[in-house]
Amino acid sequence: AAQRLRQFASAGLAQHSKYWSPATPYTRNFTFVAEGNQTAGAALPQPARRFLELMLSQAAAWDEQLVEQDWSAFVYELMLQPAQTPGTIRDFYLALSAASQRVNIPLQLCMVLVPHMLQSIEMPTVRYMRLSDDYSTNVHQWAIGRVALVAEALGFAAFKDSFWSTEEQPSSKRYQFRERNTVLNALVAAHSTAPVAFGDCIDYSNATLLR
């Protein structure tokens, strides 16, 4: 599947990783700290090094250019142990950084809290963090200017969430609205120096704007 995708992705592939469910099948081979259930819970590999090295080595085999660890805040919100034991989260992110450094793939963190931003100081492979709100009818989600200054001081770029490059996306089943600020979104994304992620339906991209 990765080989077929690569034929269409001339800019390379990126891996999107969410938090793990307490019911993850990875527990058959790796140790996880888990709390809650499959619908309202989360799990974290502990110790994380061997598991993350496997995950990142697979990403390298697929020639991925970026790995995004998303829903970062939910580990705090759904689990007591990481929230009450700071070393748990720190060990996980240090292992994640070491694994990505080993295969030379940069990291992007998403849905972060202030502790994640500060933890990045010890993580040389963190290049980007998504510091905007989710892209949707929220007309101010592009406003990342002030928090981008903090990001630059900490050594990474502020990623703005994906956006529509045309006003309407007729095939969108989830969102039905008109994007009046296509140029503004594109400019903010480009000047952020983080990846530019357009979220158009097939055949509904403004190629002129995106170039």
Side-chain angles (χ1 to χ4, degrees):
Q3 291 178 346
R4 293 185 63 186
L5 280 173
R6 199 179 298 117
Q7 296 174 3
F8 300 97
S10 58
L13 299 175
Q15 172 180 306
H16 177 268
S17 177
K18 195 178 176 181
Y19 62 89
W20 291 273
S21 164
T24 175
Y26 289 122
T27 55
R28 300 169 188 166
N29 304 103
F30 300 93
T31 302
F32 277 72
V33 175
E35 295 182 25
N37 54 48
Q38 189 170 357
T39 57
L44 201 66
Q46 288 291 318
R49 181 185 62 82
R50 189 168 65 91
F51 174 77
L52 293 173
E53 285 180 352
L54 176 65
M55 186 181 83
L56 271 293
S57 65
Q58 182 64 75
W62 290 345
D63 196 27
E64 295 179 2
Q65 306 301 305
L66 180 72
V67 168
E68 176 179 272
Q69 184 64 45
D70 199 355
W71 297 67
S72 303
F74 274 59
V75 175
Y76 282 105
E77 294 170 357
L78 297 177
M79 300 178 67
L80 288 175
Q81 203 268 6
Q84 296 176 347
T85 312
T88 301
I89 290 291
R90 179 175 182 268
D91 291 347
F92 171 80
Y93 281 106
L94 289 181
L96 179 62
S97 181
S100 66
Q101 191 168 33
R102 183 176 181 180
V103 295
N104 196 31
I105 298 179
L107 295 172
Q108 175 169 293
L109 304 184
C110 185
M111 294 182 69
V112 297
L113 301 173
V114 171
H116 297 103
M117 298 178 70
L118 297 178
Q119 180 58 53
S120 71
I121 296 172
E122 294 186 295
M123 302 171 65
T125 55
V126 172
R127 301 273 183 83
Y128 320 105
M129 284 193 197
R130 201 200 85 183
L131 299 180
S132 73
D133 288 337
D134 287 344
Y135 178 73
S136 64
T137 54
N138 180 352
V139 295
H140 299 297
Q141 48 74 35
W142 55 267
I144 61 173
R146 286 182 294 182
V147 73
L149 297 175
V150 178
E152 183 179 9
L154 292 173
F156 59 88
F159 170 68
K160 182 208 139 355
D161 199 16
S162 59
F163 61 95
W164 290 357
S165 66
T166 55
E167 284 195 13
E168 294 185 69
Q169 299 288 326
S171 299
S172 174
K173 296 180 180 180
R174 183 173 182 182
Y175 299 117
Q176 295 294 330
F177 65 96
R178 294 178 67 89
E179 175 53 81
R180 304 290 188 179
N181 297 309
T182 56
V183 175
L184 175 61
N185 276 276
L187 282 172
V188 171
H191 285 283
S192 73
T193 70
V196 175
F198 57 98
D200 303 314
C201 297
I202 295 175
D203 295 329
Y204 286 96
S205 292
N206 182 340
T208 302
L209 175 64
L210 295 173
R211 290 193 183 103

